[in-house]
Amino acid sequence: MIGTMVLHADLHIHSCLSPCADDEMTPYNLVHMAKIAGLDMIALTDHNSCLNCGAAMEAGLDAGITVVPGMELCTSEEVHIICLFPTLEKAEAFSDFVYESLPDIKNRPEIFGEQLVMDAMDNVISACEKLLTAACAVSVSHAVATVGRFGGVCYPAHIDRPSYSLLSNLGSITPEMGFMAAELSALANINELKENYPVLNEMHLIKSSDSHRLESIGEVFSQICLNRNDSESLVYYFNKLFSKIS
Amino acid sequence: MTVKELAEKLDCKFLCGTDFPEKIVSGCYCGDLLSWVMSRAKSGDAWLTVMGNINSAGVAVLADLACIILTENAAVDDAALEKAKQNGVIVLQTEKNTYETAAAVSRIL
């Protein structure tokens, strides 16, 4: 065990920057809803962008809850990967890198939904132009190294889901991919998954809510033991998993 | 050719979009990765895929596709069907696989 504090953490939440999320998922709202739901830590993981992480972290300071800057990366194979960073600066550098690699397809809010960048008081600062749900240039096999280069850690999201998941799109999870953790959706059957994919027995499995609406925040969470309740400790925890196995 | 005529010749089932079967099909694109379809399919294409996700409907609007044809009886979720209805996207379904369907479309068009 790495830490001494047991934290209730939901490490997969979208804000109104994700076109598929409710417009009510503003940084202020989602952070306060997470606090009400009794969570100690959340990660803001919008599709291919960290542009609302700063606002959510600021709102988190105010609400008394840790907000880890993160992203749900969409790889070139359209596999979703949760990326978590120790600091906002590192997350934003990665966000710029990913945005640059997205295809030049403009979002059409009337079809896909708004992509709003906000401040901590829910004022709209701008709308993100490129469609954030498109695939970026990073492939699954390069995800761990690429995110690591920016100081972050990553693992595949909702691997049991029929779309945008590692298992649905690539059919397997292998040690060569380098993932030491994997996220399961709320309804996942862990035993069946482990039977079908024995490599999961060696991995740290996390359940998160993948909330796109305020109501679902806190419905699913994981307990994580850390020494401190902050982003650096969380990333350190995941990095420790790597060193333990390799 | 209209989507209705194509659907009849391919023996496809209409999952939604029966209100505007006269939409014209002028080509065909096959693929399951939405990002590829978004940037490569052409306006008026019939899109052959197994991806019945909510974003499929959005991609069909974005790329101005004639219809989505779900091959191998691939499922479409309720949210995707709702999105398709709202945006006037025709969704067809066939038991044939993508290769067989594409070959048939090629003979018909």
Side-chain angles (χ1 to χ4, degrees):
Chain A
M1 190 176 291
I2 294 171
T4 50
M5 297 168 73
V6 181
L7 300 176
H8 290 191
D10 183 351
L11 301 178
H12 188 166
I13 294 181
H14 292 267
S15 78
C16 51
L17 177 58
S18 294
C20 43
D22 275 3
D23 289 346
E24 288 179 354
M25 289 293 263
T26 62
Y28 183 93
N29 281 352
L30 72 89
V31 160
H32 283 83
M33 182 56 96
K35 180 72 183 173
I36 292 167
L39 297 169
D40 304 304
M41 171 185 270
I42 60 169
L44 182 61
T45 52
D46 283 308
H47 293 295
N48 288 332
S49 179
C50 300
L51 288 182
N52 269 346
C53 289
M57 290 167 83
E58 200 182 321
L61 271 180
D62 179 47
I65 180 170
T66 298
V67 178
V68 179
M71 177 194 289
E72 185 171 23
L73 180 76
C74 184
T75 70
S76 56
E77 306 93 338
E78 296 189 354
V79 170
H80 285 179
I81 306 276
I82 296 296
C83 308
L84 304 169
F85 296 89
T87 64
L88 179 62
E89 290 68 31
K90 289 186 160 68
E92 286 180 338
F94 184 66
S95 186
D96 289 346
F97 165 78
V98 169
Y99 193 76
E100 191 65 32
S101 89
L102 284 175
D104 199 14
I105 298 167
K106 300 263 180 294
N107 180 34
R108 300 243 318 256
E110 74 282 12
I111 305 170
F112 295 101
E114 297 282 359
Q115 300 184 152
L116 301 176
V117 180
M118 290 191 158
D119 67 16
M121 296 308 292
D122 289 357
N123 300 303
V124 176
I125 295 171
S126 60
C128 189
E129 271 199 14
K130 282 186 185 175
L131 179 62
L132 292 174
T133 50
C136 78
V138 180
S139 68
V140 164
S141 56
H142 291 110
V144 170
T146 308
V147 176
R149 199 149 48 80
F150 287 85
V153 291
C154 68
Y155 52 86
H158 44 62
I159 58 167
D160 52 302
R161 281 241 312 260
S163 57
Y164 294 119
S165 83
L166 188 59
L167 298 181
S168 73
N169 287 20
L170 296 187
S172 68
I173 179 164
T174 61
E176 293 73 30
M177 293 170 182
F179 299 116
M180 298 301 155
E183 182 198 89
L184 307 175
S185 71
L187 301 172
N189 182 335
I190 294 184
N191 291 336
E192 194 181 298
L193 279 165
K194 281 183 172 174
E195 206 168 295
N196 292 334
Y197 305 97
V199 67
L200 294 178
N201 286 302
E202 310 299 321
M203 295 170 74
H204 183 81
L205 302 180
I206 290 169
K207 279 200 175 186
S208 301
S209 73
D210 191 7
S211 286
H212 287 69
R213 306 173 284 116
L214 285 172
E215 308 88 91
S216 60
I217 293 177
E219 276 179 2
V220 185
F221 59 87
S222 287
Q223 294 191 354
I224 298 180
C225 288
L226 302 179
N227 276 329
R228 290 199 320 267
N229 181 1
D230 58 29
S231 305
E232 285 93 345
S233 302
L234 181 73
V235 170
Y236 176 77
Y237 171 85
F238 279 108
N239 275 325
K240 252 331 209 203
L241 295 175
F242 280 82
S243 56
K244 205 161 54 180
I245 292 167
S246 57
Chain B
M1 172 174 291
T2 66
V3 171
K4 183 168 181 260
E5 288 168 324
L6 181 68
E8 278 165 6
K9 290 190 172 158
L10 292 173
D11 199 19
C12 285
K13 193 160 78 182
F14 264 87
L15 297 186
C16 80
T18 43
D19 296 346
F20 27 86
E22 305 305 319
K23 222 167 171 176
I24 300 297
V25 187
S26 50
C28 182
Y29 187 86
C30 306
D32 302 316
L33 289 183
L34 302 186
S35 300
W36 284 63
V37 183
M38 273 185 233
S39 49
R40 289 169 174 82
K42 294 188 178 60
S43 171
D45 279 353
W47 171 28
L48 277 50
T49 183
V50 293
M51 188 61 87
N53 175 275
I54 185 164
N55 284 342
S56 304
V59 167
V61 181
L62 188 80
D64 190 28
L65 304 177
C67 61
I68 298 173
I69 303 180
L70 292 167
T71 55
E72 303 199 52
N73 280 334
V76 59
D77 59 44
D78 292 343
L81 214 49
E82 190 52 40
K83 184 94 173 173
K85 281 178 189 158
Q86 283 169 7
N87 289 285
V89 174
I90 302 175
V91 183
L92 307 174
Q93 194 183 43
T94 175
E95 62 181 13
K96 295 194 178 67
N97 69 26
T98 298
Y99 169 69
E100 294 164 330
T101 312
V105 171
S106 170
R107 285 192 296 272
I108 295 165
L109 285 184

